[in-house]
Amino acid sequence: RIFVLGIGFFTLCFLMTSLGGQFSAKRLGDSPFTIRNEVMGALESRGVLRRMSDMLEMLMKRMDILARLENSTDIHRGDEARFPLDRLQPAAGLMERIQAIAQNVSDIAIKVDQILRNSLLNGKVMEGRRDQCEVPRDPRYPDCAGKVEWMRARWTSDPCYAFFGVDGTECSFLIYLSEVEWFCPPLPWRNRTAAAPSPPPRPPVQAAFQSDLAHLLELIGTGKESLSFMKKRIRHLAQQWLRAARRLEQKLKGRQRDQKHILIHIGFLTEESGDVFSPRVLKGGPLGEMVQWADILAVLFLLGHSLRVTVSLKELQSHLGVPPGRGNCPLTSPLPFDLIYTDYHGLQQMKQHMGLSFKKYRCRVRVIDTFGTEPAYNHEEYATLRGYRTNWGYWNLQPTQFMTMFPHTPDNSFMGFVSEELNQTERQLIKSNKVSSMAVVYGKEASIWKGKEKFLAILNKYMEIHGTVYYETQRPPEVPAFVKNHGLLPQHEFQQLLRKAKLFIGFGFPYEGPAPLEAIANGCVFLQARFNPPHSSLNHEFFRGKPTSREASVSSQHPYAEDFIGKPHVWTVDYNNSEEFEAAVKTIMRTQVDPYLPYEYTCEGMLERIHAYIQHQDFCTTSSPPLPPKTKSPAMQSPPSPLALSPNATHLVWSPSASRDPQAWPPVDSLQVWVSESQHTCTETCRRHGLVCEPTFFRFLNKEEVFLQLSITCDSTEYEMNHLYPAVAENVHECYLQKEPLLFSCAGYNTKYRRLCPCRDFQQGQVALCRDCL
């Protein structure tokens, strides 16, 4: 009996909860189709009320039968029946309550029936119209029918469609595809005036340099060791940042700058991407990415822009206005940010949750990309056809939207980071405290030391060797006994070690980190191995899977240090030649060097560079001019070329008589056109002439007349998709022009071709900017 009573009680609770859920699930204002949703919800609720009333009545009858049986049995038991009869009293009371509830439920069902009839009558006209929609045949919307067919089969695959009012009817499909997306024409019977107007554009606000970094530290937030590391770095460099901002403000002389609304989403710190860096921060693990992000945050804030910082997917969705669901629908409102700085993890998260809006707004994205993304890997179709597809490429962005740690390839924008600058007193103190017989090895992982015993033995003859190799307390590191290992050091202690050492030596890995620049800035000489042949994705595992081949560019562990700094601060030698290696060590011990930091890695240099990018890089409104047609009629005349042969007839320059677009950036008069050798990339070709390859200038070279101006014979000219074009195959006199502007690339070479290369000048110490670019 107790069991039956319990079942009855919990059944009652369950039914009441179900009823409440049916009513609460439908709220006014949930979608544009409120009437239909309310009607459907009421129909379902009416069915629940009827089932509830029937079940309560059946339960009451069964308990009544049970009570009679128990009463009959207990009469024959005499006095022993008193206890069971007492226990039946609550059951009888419960039966009375259930009977009362059943009556109330029956009354509610009748009232709901009346409401339903009125609602159905009021919605009859609209419902009839909604059920009679037909897919329009409009040549301006060729994809409409196919999208409707997709919606019929898949509209329940993502809750976001229901959020926008899709309910399975043909009309709801068309309303969604015409008003939320843009694949179908608007329905003529829809009341367009009822639609919410687009918010007016925000009036421009002038950016002003900031001087209080406390607000930035609040914006970064708390809760992760990575964030604590970034905030500590910003505080440590605060005075240098503020002095640099004042110098740049004076240099710009009150120039007007629009304040940008910027979202900074650090994707690799989100839980969804694994956040592999935070647990390693306290151990001094790889910090290069976090160094760069801390400096990016400082730059954008000091330049006076409005920032939002996110390190979680939930915050990202909230800031973007992502509708509930799985990310197939567009954003609920226009994107409130002018720029978004993120990484590859964040880019993937944005694509998954922005739906079609990602394609619309991706021109506002800037991707912080450590090693770079070459155009051949960025263009999805080309990468797939030609074998360049990797896990990280094929985004079809403008290649200059990718921003690198070092200027590996001019195809991408050079973002960089900063190293600590020394004042004159600190510089003199470092020079006086240098230990000429002290060397520090570049590498925190024990694996870097394996197989280097020969070099270490030579080095040990002349210098005391120090390391910063991580190891657990119970397991000593796998380094030679004569090495003094400090373990992983906090950044400040590592800087102090570099200020004493004479030599900072690399054994080939890691590639292109910030540590060599920090060492050089603290008065060390950096010694590194020359790679022969150069490392690339074709011959080295590290670069496989990355969206860059780096052909002929990774000639050493740190190409930037080799190419842009060089001796006496940087020595690149053949480690396979023991005599050359030993001679370099002995010469370095006798060489006196001052601490040196390239201007582009100072606070002012980075502020200047990012200011120029924000003011001049606009990937949403600027585009390359249309490519010339493949065939032209005799009546068609090409406009005169804006290029002219240089006085010494070796290359082309911008003609003094040609018009200049004042909005073009970099300025076109910095352009020079050179022809590469068959084994050289455009990056290398320009560098050999003391210039930098400038991919935005390719559009001026991609013309048949340019070959003629350079006295190149073309028996035929073809337009094709190839990241090496424009180029000429001289042995057969065939010329090739680029069919796809996204494939214009400074990288890559083929011995079959000589490439046309657009080069420009650059500021000394600021390779990202031409002389008139600021």
Side-chain angles (χ1 to χ4, degrees):
R1 288 195 302 269
I2 294 174
F3 176 75
V4 173
L5 290 173
I7 290 295
F9 177 73
F10 283 108
T11 301
L12 177 63
C13 293
F14 171 74
L15 289 171
M16 293 301 291
T17 303
S18 299
L19 179 62
Q22 290 291 336
F23 283 119
S24 63
K26 306 296 177 183
R27 301 185 305 274
L28 289 174
D30 276 349
S31 74
F33 310 110
T34 302
I35 293 178
R36 182 170 182 85
N37 280 346
E38 289 300 313
V39 170
M40 292 299 293
L43 285 168
E44 294 166 359
S45 299
R46 180 173 62 181
V48 170
L49 287 167
R50 287 178 175 173
R51 290 194 299 272
M52 181 176 175
S53 179
D54 293 342
M55 290 180 70
L56 286 171
E57 186 177 355
M58 183 181 296
L59 178 62
M60 186 175 64
K61 289 179 179 179
R62 290 183 179 180
M63 291 185 67
D64 186 50
I65 293 170
L66 179 62
R68 288 198 211 99
L69 289 173
E70 289 293 335
N71 191 39
S72 174
T73 303
D74 290 334
I75 290 174
H76 293 291
R77 291 178 181 174
D79 293 339
E80 295 178 0
R82 292 177 185 172
F83 180 66
L85 283 172
D86 291 340
R87 291 184 60 185
L88 281 174
Q89 295 305 315
L94 181 60
M95 286 174 59
E96 293 175 0
R97 294 189 183 94
I98 291 174
Q99 188 173 10
I101 292 171
Q103 183 60 46
N104 289 335
V105 169
S106 180
D107 294 341
I108 293 172
I110 293 171
K111 292 178 180 178
V112 169
D113 230 9
Q114 294 171 349
I115 295 172
L116 277 174
R117 290 191 183 94
N118 292 333
S119 298
L120 288 169
L121 286 172
N122 293 335
K124 186 174 181 181
V125 175
M126 178 64 70
E127 189 63 35
R129 178 174 285 174
R130 290 174 53 78
D131 289 338
Q132 295 173 7
C133 286
E134 294 183 0
V135 179
R137 304 296 177 183
D138 190 329
R140 295 173 299 173
Y141 300 88
D143 298 322
C144 183
K147 290 294 181 180
V148 171
E149 188 66 31
W150 188 95
M151 292 291 287
R152 289 192 193 109
R154 300 291 303 278
W155 75 273
T156 58
S157 63
D158 194 323
C160 71
Y161 297 118
F163 173 82
F164 282 112
V166 177
D167 59 7
T169 62
E170 205 82 352
C171 289
S172 71
F173 297 155
L174 291 170
I175 291 170
Y176 174 83
L177 291 170
S178 62
E179 298 179 14
V180 180
E181 297 183 7
W182 49 88
F183 293 105
C184 294
L187 298 176
W189 53 268
R190 289 284 291 174
N191 184 6
R192 303 299 297 164
T193 59
S198 300
R202 294 185 299 263
V205 176
Q206 292 303 304
F209 282 90
Q210 299 296 306
S211 59
D212 183 6
L213 287 167
H215 181 54
L216 172 61
L217 300 179
E218 292 177 8
L219 285 174
I220 293 174
T222 59
K224 290 180 179 287
E225 293 296 341
S226 300
L227 300 180
S228 299
F229 172 87
M230 293 181 193
K231 291 163 72 171
K232 184 177 180 180
R233 175 176 173 82
I234 291 171
R235 282 192 292 263
H236 179 69
L237 295 174
Q239 293 307 311
Q240 293 193 23
W241 279 121
L242 294 174
R243 286 194 296 269
R246 286 193 291 269
R247 289 194 297 267
L248 180 59
E249 186 175 15
Q250 293 170 0
K251 186 183 295 186
L252 295 178
K253 298 176 181 178
R255 193 177 305 172
Q256 296 295 299
R257 300 181 300 117
D258 288 344
Q259 185 188 64
K260 305 293 185 182
H261 293 263
I262 300 176
L263 175 66
I264 299 104
H265 176 61
I266 311 176
F268 74 85
L269 291 183
T270 61
E271 299 300 331
E272 290 76 11
S273 66
D275 188 12
V276 296
F277 286 91
S278 290
R280 306 181 70 175
V281 171
L282 295 179
K283 299 176 182 177
L287 305 177
E289 287 86 351
M290 283 180 287
V291 164
Q292 188 181 34
W293 274 108
D295 296 346
I296 292 169
L297 287 163
V299 167
L300 296 176
F301 180 81
L302 288 167
L303 288 173
H305 300 293
S306 173
L307 308 184
R308 290 290 181 271
V309 183
T310 69
V311 291
S312 78
L313 187 56
K314 185 176 180 181
E315 289 178 313
L316 174 68
Q317 293 172 318
S318 174
H319 286 308
L320 294 178
V322 173
R326 300 187 179 94
N328 290 304
C329 299
L331 302 182
T332 57
S333 58
L335 187 70
F337 300 103
D338 303 303
L339 293 170
I340 299 177
Y341 286 81
T342 188
D343 52 26
Y344 263 126
H345 295 283
L347 195 63
Q348 184 65 45
Q349 292 166 352
M350 289 169 57
K351 183 179 181 182
Q352 288 175 347
H353 294 277
M354 290 177 66
L356 290 174
S357 295
F358 178 78
K359 185 175 181 180
K360 179 179 180 181
Y361 293 119
R362 64 184 175 183
C363 60
R364 304 187 189 184
V365 174
R366 306 293 183 267
V367 185
I368 308 305
D369 178 8
T370 303
F371 292 99
T373 298
E374 294 175 6
Y377 295 81
N378 170 61
H379 191 280
E380 184 174 16
E381 180 186 357
Y382 185 77
T384 303
L385 292 174
R386 300 295 186 94
Y388 290 104
R389 189 166 179 129
T390 67
N391 292 333
W392 300 104
Y394 62 85
W395 287 94
N396 292 322
L397 301 178
Q398 293 292 333
T400 39
Q401 288 180 254
F402 298 98
M403 303 190 131
T404 58
M405 185 173 282
F406 291 95
H408 325 105
T409 170
D411 291 321
N412 304 149
S413 298
F414 164 45
M415 169 62 76
F417 58 95
V418 304
S419 287
E420 187 171 355
E421 299 173 70
L422 305 175
N423 58 39
Q424 194 60 36
T425 302
E426 290 170 326
R427 294 165 67 90
Q428 291 299 326
L429 187 62
I430 286 175
K431 290 179 66 175
S432 62
N433 290 337
K434 278 291 177 185
V435 180
S436 60
S437 60
M438 179 179 173
V440 176
V441 175
Y442 181 20
K444 301 173 182 179
E445 301 290 340
S447 59
I448 295 171
W449 296 64
K450 291 181 180 179
K452 308 302 187 298
E453 293 80 6
K454 182 179 179 180
F455 313 126
L456 290 169
I458 296 173
L459 186 60
N460 188 48
K461 288 166 45 178
Y462 303 97
M463 290 186 165
E464 181 183 84
I465 304 174
H466 294 249
T468 57
V469 182
Y470 170 74
Y471 64 96
E472 302 290 347
T473 54
Q474 67 272 20
R475 192 181 73 176
E478 299 174 7
V479 298
F482 54 77
V483 174
K484 184 177 180 181
N485 185 37
H486 300 261
L488 290 180
L489 294 176
Q491 192 71 7
H492 177 70
E493 294 183 28
F494 182 62
Q495 294 268 4
Q496 295 304 315
L497 187 65
L498 293 176
R499 292 186 176 189
K500 292 181 181 179
K502 176 72 173 183
L503 176 66
F504 189 61
I505 181 171
F507 285 143
F509 192 82
Y511 295 106
E512 301 172 314
L517 261 66
E518 294 177 355
I520 296 167
N522 283 287
C524 293
V525 174
F526 178 50
L527 177 63
Q528 63 173 347
R530 179 182 296 112
F531 299 150
N532 190 16
H535 289 182
S536 71
S537 61
L538 304 177
N539 61 16
H540 203 274
E541 190 64 33
F542 177 81
F543 289 103
R544 290 194 181 100
K546 292 181 172 58
T548 173
S549 64
R550 302 295 296 276
E551 289 179 281
S553 66
V554 188
S555 56
S556 62
Q557 182 174 352
H558 208 290
Y560 174 84
E562 178 186 7
D563 296 332
F564 291 93
I565 301 178
K567 291 181 179 179
H569 303 279
V570 179
W571 288 61
T572 306
V573 302
D574 182 3
Y575 277 24
N576 293 321
N577 186 330
S578 299
E579 293 180 358
E580 182 182 354
F581 177 81
E582 188 169 359
V585 171
K586 290 191 289 187
T587 304
I588 288 169
M589 290 180 68
R590 299 191 302 266
T591 304
Q592 295 295 322
V593 296
D594 292 329
Y596 173 72
L597 180 62
Y599 174 73
E600 55 202 353
Y601 284 98
T602 65
C603 292
E604 184 178 352
M606 188 171 182
L607 279 164
E608 180 181 272
R609 184 166 62 252
I610 307 312
H611 154 73
Y613 289 156
I614 292 175
Q615 292 302 116
H616 298 292
Q617 285 186 336
D618 184 353
F619 304 109
C620 297
T621 58
T622 58
S623 61
S624 299
L627 294 171
K630 196 167 183 178
T631 58
K632 295 184 289 188
S633 66
M636 294 179 65
Q637 296 295 322
S638 298
S641 172
L643 304 176
L645 201 61
S646 65
N648 59 6
T650 57
H651 61 283
L652 300 180
V653 296
W654 194 265
S655 174
S657 61
S659 61
R660 293 172 174 79
D661 180 0
Q663 301 301 318
W665 193 85
V668 291
D669 52 5
S670 65
L671 168 64
Q672 296 184 27
V673 182
W674 290 83
V675 183
S676 77
E677 298 299 325
S678 58
Q679 70 274 21
H680 290 167
T681 66
C682 280
T683 300
E684 188 175 4
T685 298
C686 295
R687 186 180 298 144
R688 285 171 175 259
H689 296 289
L691 304 167
V692 173
C693 183
E694 178 51 62
T696 60
F697 287 157
F698 267 112
R699 63 187 188 272
F700 301 116
L701 282 60
N702 202 47
K703 300 175 182 177
E704 291 184 54
E705 54 264 33
V706 175
F707 290 113
L708 297 175
Q709 288 180 288
L710 289 166
S711 301
I712 295 174
T713 302
C714 299
D715 291 342
S716 64
T717 304
E718 298 291 337
Y719 288 86
E720 295 181 10
M721 283 201 313
N722 192 309
H723 69 287
L724 302 179
Y725 296 166
V728 56
E730 284 191 317
N731 56 334
V732 291
H733 302 294
E734 293 177 350
C735 297
Y736 300 92
L737 297 176
Q738 181 59 257
K739 184 179 180 181
E740 172 51 69
L742 282 182
L743 287 174
F744 285 137
S745 176
C746 293
Y749 73 95
N750 187 308
T751 54
K752 176 182 176 181
Y753 303 117
R754 295 185 68 192
R755 303 187 57 191
L756 302 190
C757 299
C759 308
R760 64 162 170 82
D761 57 35
F762 62 93
Q763 297 180 23
Q764 190 63 35
Q766 185 72 289
V767 69
L769 303 181
C770 67
R771 290 171 189 161
D772 297 323
C773 275
L774 189 60

